């Protein structure tokens, strides 16, 4: 594995210098992307691995954050793979590398040998777009079953209840003659079989592909043969196991009770989120992002807003969000970070065998924060609160309930007083209690220290993000590495721990909650000073026209970097809408982290990653 040279690279404009260096080194293979609103370089596929290796080894772009496939059907008729690479832990903007392949013979070289974090991302592009990656050691579908016909993110693929390519559908607007697509395409007649398909010679794909990557010399068919003796065993944990954090499955190869290999199997909650996002208008996607990680809808909104605002800034009439809107945004996402980390710690205890009661204590303060979200946004979890240029609504003057019976006692207090009490009193006390009760608990120490270790160089190589990355000794936080909103003016430290095990991931979340409270205390006076100021800039367009171009908006979500790669062709719907989900990509390292540990450790290691299946499967 390559050493990290990022800290040695110090340049005023590293991206421009990197592009110049790559063009000089590969004059016939690298050109700048000069399309209007685009950036980065376009690389000859034949030289893609060489260029990627040079970007990593000589220029310090050692971290592959996001790999996105884009279908430019009717706009050049090719697929484009877009790689967002960063210098970790040095920070700074991305070097964007692109490679193209014809749609009718879509093949590109795999970059997994350069950035192992490309593993699941290339499998996703193969699964949903049909791009084959030569050299990928385990190229198979990852979100759909192996027998699925077609690739549903291609522009010419149509879902079962297809009505039109983009919303608003003609049946809804402007005439309002609404009908349900199911009425014209009833159940039972909405199935499209592959060309030439008949039941006469149909053989189900079955389970065999799920064991293809278990390359330990194990023949599953032989293991099923009566009388064959073996010390090894393939066990399926999940998908319907209470400790798999949702509908998630792990194919585990055991030698006795020791894990020799682990392959995640996912996609049970896949609903083609990105395809639906490309049917939606830009604004319609805002509530849609709530459904990714349903614990963190506020910060999900912010990442998407940043991506679209970047595109809007390419136009002549763009106005950035107002200062009060930025203060409220950071308030919401830092409260969300506390909610998410408390939830993660509570359910880690569940995974360690302390069933539910400790979890309920860990998430008690969460209810107070959700009360606040409900008062502001009208919803506790699916908040749909951010808007392009600001937020949906200002904070209410008071938080108050409605008595249902004559003697009901209801909350009725000034919103800022309510917030001040949570931020100055309740949260610090709750975090200290968690620390006091758990950090030196004998069971937690015994079960978590030295288990599920992810060394720093592997964390970077596997594109780990958030607490998983920082607990491995890598001080990389998007809020500092590529600052956004008002974070540059706020005083906080990037939490980091150095052992890379379950215990450090737990400690790091405690550290980060304290840093969030530190940020929240700085926001209280800003909220008072900006009272009455506007919460949104520009006009409140129902459906803004977004200038042509591309944007990658990313935020430091509680579970790690959440990124949105959005392409606009100048219309009111995104041409491409891709989600870089931290839960999904952090799972890339699950197998190496579990290897060598016992069966009982697997669920604890998974819990320490802190995944949400709505975000993994999308």
């Amino acid at each position: 594995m390559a050493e990290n040279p990022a800290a040695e690279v110090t340049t005023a404009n590293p991206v421009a210098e990197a592009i110049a260096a790559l063009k000089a080194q590969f004059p016939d293979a690298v050109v700048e992307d000069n399309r209007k609103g685009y950036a980065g370089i376009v690389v000859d596929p034949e030289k893609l691995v060489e260029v990627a290796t040079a970007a990593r080894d000589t220029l310090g772009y050692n971290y592959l954050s996001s790999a996105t496939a884009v279908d430019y059907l009717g706009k050049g008729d090719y697929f484009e793979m877009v790689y967002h690479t960063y210098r970790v832990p040095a920070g700074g903007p991305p070097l964007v590398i692109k490679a193209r392949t014809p749609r009718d013979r879509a093949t590109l070289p795999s970059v997994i040998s350069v950035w192992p974090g490309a593993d699941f991302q290339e499998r996703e592009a193969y699964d949903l777009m049909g791009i084959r990656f030569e050299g990928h050691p385990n190229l198979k579908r990852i979100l759909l079953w192996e027998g699925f016909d077609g690739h549903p993110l291609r522009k010419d693929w149509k879902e079962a209840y297809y009505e039109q390519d983009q919303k608003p559908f003609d049946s809804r607007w402007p005439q309002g003659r609404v009908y349900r697509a199911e009425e014209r395409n009833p159940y039972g007649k909405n199935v499209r079989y592959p060309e030439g398909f008949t039941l006469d010679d149909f053989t189900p794909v079955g389970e065999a592909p799920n064991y293809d990557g278990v390359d330990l010399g194990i023949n599953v068919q032989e293991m099923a043969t009566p009388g064959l003796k073996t010390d090894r065993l393939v066990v399926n944990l999940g998908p319907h196991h209470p400790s798999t954090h949702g509908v998630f499955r792990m194919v585990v190869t055991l030698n006795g009770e020791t894990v020799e290999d682990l392959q995640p199997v996912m996609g049970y909650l896949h609903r083609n989120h990105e395809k639906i996002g490309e049917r939606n208008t830009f604004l319609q996607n805002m509530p849609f992002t709530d459904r990714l990680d349903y614990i963190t809808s506020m910060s999900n909104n912010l990442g998407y807003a940043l991506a679209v605002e970047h595109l809007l800034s390419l136009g002549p009439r763009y106005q950035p969000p107002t200062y009060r809107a930025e203060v409220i945004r950071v308030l919401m996402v830092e409260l969300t970070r506390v909610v998410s980390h408390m939830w993660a710690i509570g359910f880690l205890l569940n995974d360690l065998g302390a069933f539910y009661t400790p979890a309920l204590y860990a998430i008690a303060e969460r209810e107070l924060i959700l009360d606040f979200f409900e008062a502001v946004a009208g919803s506790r979890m699916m908040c749909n609160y951010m808007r392009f240029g600001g937020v949906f609504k200002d904070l209410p003057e008071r938080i108050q309930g409605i008595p249902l019976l004559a003697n009901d006692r209801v909350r009725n207090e000034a919103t800022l007083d309510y917030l001040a009490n949570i931020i100055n009193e309740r949260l610090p006390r709750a975090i200290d209690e968690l620390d006091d009760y758990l950090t030196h608990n004998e069971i937690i120490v015994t079960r978590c220290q030295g288990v599920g270790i992810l060394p720093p160089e592997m964390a970077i190589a596997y594109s780990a993000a958030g607490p998983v990355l920082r607990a491995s000794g890598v001080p990389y936080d998007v809020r500092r590495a590529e600052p956004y909103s008002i974070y540059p003016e706020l005083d906080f430290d990037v939490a980091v721990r150095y052992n890379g095990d379950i215990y450090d991931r737990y400690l790091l979340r405690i550290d980060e909650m304290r840093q969030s409270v530190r940020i929240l205390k700085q926001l209280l006076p800003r909220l008072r000073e900006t009272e009455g100021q506007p919460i949104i800039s520009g006009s409140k367009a129902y459906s803004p026209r977004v200038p042509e171009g591309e944007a990658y908006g990313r935020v430091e979500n509680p579970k790690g970097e959440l990124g949105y790669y959005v392409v606009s062709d100048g219309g009111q719907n995104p041409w491409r809408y891709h989600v870089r989900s931290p839960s999904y990509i952090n799972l890339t390292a699950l197998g190496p982290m579990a290897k060598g540990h016992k069966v009982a450790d697997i669920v604890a290691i998974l819990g320490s990653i802190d995944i949400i299946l709505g975000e993994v499967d999308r």
Side-chain angles (χ1 to χ4, degrees):
M1 199 160 296
E3 294 182 356
N4 171 22
E8 301 171 4
V9 180
T10 53
T11 53
N13 189 346
V15 173
E17 293 191 10
I19 291 175
L22 292 173
K23 288 173 65 178
Q25 188 175 351
F26 304 96
D28 298 326
V30 174
V31 296
E32 287 193 58
D33 188 349
N34 292 319
R35 290 172 293 178
K36 185 180 178 183
Y38 287 74
I41 54 175
V42 181
V43 178
D44 182 345
E46 297 292 328
K47 295 288 185 180
L48 177 60
V49 175
E50 288 182 57
V51 171
T53 303
R56 181 195 65 181
D57 293 346
T58 64
L59 301 172
Y61 289 89
N62 54 346
Y63 184 85
L64 175 64
S65 169
S66 174
T68 309
V70 186
D71 183 359
Y72 282 101
L73 176 65
K75 300 178 185 295
D77 292 336
Y78 55 83
F79 290 118
E80 184 173 82
M81 277 300 295
V82 184
Y83 305 91
H84 285 82
T85 66
Y86 291 88
R87 301 183 311 150
V88 173
L95 171 64
V96 185
I97 300 173
K98 300 166 183 174
R100 296 170 181 165
T101 179
R103 295 185 82 255
D104 57 350
R105 52 184 189 284
T107 304
L108 286 172
S110 171
V111 295
I112 196 171
S113 61
V114 184
W115 298 298
D119 184 353
F120 286 7
Q121 303 191 69
E122 287 184 346
R123 284 179 61 188
E124 180 182 338
Y126 164 69
D127 189 359
L128 304 181
M129 284 285 194
I131 302 173
R132 298 195 67 83
F133 292 90
E134 293 179 338
H136 192 293
N138 190 27
L139 190 64
K140 59 186 179 184
R141 289 185 181 272
I142 191 166
L143 295 173
L144 301 171
W145 67 295
E146 203 63 34
F148 189 89
D149 180 51
H151 304 282
L153 271 184
R154 290 189 173 198
K155 288 295 180 183
D156 50 2
W157 190 90
K158 294 179 173 56
E159 62 273 25
Y161 292 111
Y162 172 81
E163 188 169 339
Q164 279 180 241
D165 281 347
Q166 294 177 331
K167 297 175 183 175
F169 295 153
D170 292 343
S171 63
R172 273 73 164 177
W173 185 88
Q175 290 83 9
R177 295 168 183 164
V178 180
Y179 65 87
R180 296 170 64 242
E182 294 88 333
E183 296 168 5
R184 302 186 179 187
N185 194 8
Y187 177 75
K189 298 184 181 299
N190 64 335
V191 180
R192 178 174 53 83
Y193 293 100
E195 187 175 353
F197 174 85
T198 68
L199 283 172
D200 297 337
D201 55 355
F202 174 63
T203 302
V205 174
E207 280 289 282
N210 287 327
Y211 303 102
D212 285 348
V214 187
D215 187 19
L216 289 167
I218 298 172
N219 186 318
V220 176
Q221 299 303 319
E222 288 181 6
M223 292 179 67
T225 304
L228 177 65
K229 294 183 179 179
T230 177
D231 292 328
R232 288 175 172 165
L233 186 66
V234 175
V235 175
N236 281 280
L237 300 182
H240 294 293
H241 188 281
S243 287
T244 50
H245 293 255
V247 191
F248 179 69
R249 175 178 165 194
M250 294 171 281
V251 177
V252 185
T253 304
L254 300 173
N255 190 340
E257 284 203 28
T258 303
V259 178
E260 291 197 342
D261 192 48
L262 185 152
Q263 297 285 334
V265 179
M266 58 192 84
Y268 299 95
L269 203 57
H270 179 66
R271 62 273 190 199
N272 218 357
H273 176 100
E274 295 177 8
K275 185 76 168 187
I276 299 170
E278 291 168 15
R279 299 253 189 267
N280 286 341
T281 65
F282 283 96
L283 187 57
Q284 284 175 330
N285 275 340
M286 188 61 76
F288 205 45
T289 64
D290 292 340
R291 276 76 176 168
L292 289 167
D293 177 352
Y294 38 80
I295 308 295
T296 64
S297 72
M298 286 288 191
S299 38
N300 299 350
N301 286 180
L302 180 56
Y304 179 63
L306 292 181
V308 177
E309 284 167 2
H310 178 81
L311 286 168
L312 290 170
S313 71
L314 302 175
R317 292 186 294 276
Y318 172 71
Q319 296 178 36
T322 65
Y323 186 75
R324 180 166 178 80
E326 295 284 22
V327 172
I328 294 175
R329 283 178 168 187
V330 175
L331 169 75
M332 296 302 187
V333 300
E334 292 305 322
L335 287 171
T336 298
R337 193 177 316 280
V338 175
V339 166
S340 179
H341 283 357
M342 284 194 167
W343 187 274
I345 291 172
F347 279 86
L348 176 63
L349 294 172
N350 234 29
D351 298 330
L352 294 173
F355 211 52
Y356 278 112
T357 301
L360 292 175
Y361 280 101
I363 61 178
E365 307 305 312
R366 168 179 181 262
E367 294 304 309
L368 298 176
I369 296 174
L370 296 192
D371 286 350
F372 171 67
F373 287 172
E374 184 178 11
V376 178
S379 176
R380 300 174 72 79
M381 294 183 71
M382 304 293 113
C383 295
N384 181 22
Y385 183 60
M386 308 287 176
R387 293 292 182 271
F388 310 135
V391 296
F392 156 65
K393 200 172 183 180
D394 207 340
L395 309 186
E397 186 176 343
R398 301 187 70 80
I399 292 185
Q400 58 188 91
I402 300 173
L404 299 177
L405 300 173
N407 295 321
D408 279 355
R409 295 176 60 189
V410 297
R411 180 183 293 137
N412 186 355
E413 61 183 302
T415 300
L416 288 184
D417 292 342
Y418 179 81
L419 274 177
N421 181 47
I422 291 179
I423 293 169
N424 293 324
E425 304 293 335
R426 298 293 300 247
L427 292 183
R429 185 165 62 238
I431 297 166
D432 287 345
E433 285 176 353
L434 283 179
D435 195 0
D436 290 342
Y437 293 146
L438 302 180
T439 300
H440 301 292
N441 179 282
E442 184 180 350
I443 295 175
I444 291 176
V445 170
T446 304
R447 292 289 312 276
C448 297
Q449 283 189 344
V451 179
I453 293 176
L454 185 65
E457 64 276 11
M458 282 183 66
I460 295 171
Y462 280 96
S463 303
V468 177
L469 178 66
R470 291 187 288 277
S472 292
V474 183
Y476 188 82
D477 185 314
V478 179
R479 293 173 295 176
R480 287 291 190 229
E482 194 181 12
Y484 53 92
S485 191
I486 60 169
Y487 281 109
E489 69 180 56
L490 297 172
D491 189 21
F492 70 99
D493 297 322
V494 174
V496 61
R497 295 273 174 169
Y498 296 94
N499 294 313
D501 55 10
I502 296 175
Y503 193 67
D504 271 17
R505 289 191 275 278
Y506 152 74
L507 290 176
L508 188 122
R509 291 188 174 98
I510 294 283
D511 296 340
E512 289 199 341
M513 284 193 288
R514 290 199 167 107
Q515 293 301 321
S516 289
V517 170
R518 187 175 166 193
I519 291 171
L520 290 166
K521 287 181 178 178
Q522 297 170 60
L523 297 178
L524 285 174
R526 286 172 169 80
L527 287 171
R528 296 187 190 281
E529 292 163 6
T530 58
E531 274 185 306
Q533 294 183 11
I535 53 157
I536 195 162
S537 62
S539 62
K540 298 179 182 178
Y542 167 72
S543 186
R545 293 282 176 179
V546 177
E548 188 176 349
E550 65 174 354
Y552 182 62
R554 61 176 188 152
V555 292
E556 188 62 49
N557 247 32
K559 295 175 179 60
E561 177 185 332
L562 173 68
Y564 296 89
Y565 180 70
V566 181
V567 175
S568 171
D569 63 353
Q572 60 181 354
N573 308 75
W575 177 260
R576 183 72 174 99
Y577 163 80
H578 174 67
V579 181
R580 188 266 186 217
S581 115
S583 292
Y584 175 70
I585 296 178
N586 281 346
L587 282 173
T588 312
L590 175 61
M593 291 162 71
K595 194 172 181 179
H597 293 291
K598 303 299 182 187
V599 176
D601 296 323
I602 294 174
V603 172
I605 295 170
L606 178 66
S608 73
I609 296 176
D610 184 23
I611 62 168
I612 290 281
L613 266 298
E615 186 180 80
V616 172
D617 290 345
R618 289 161 289 138

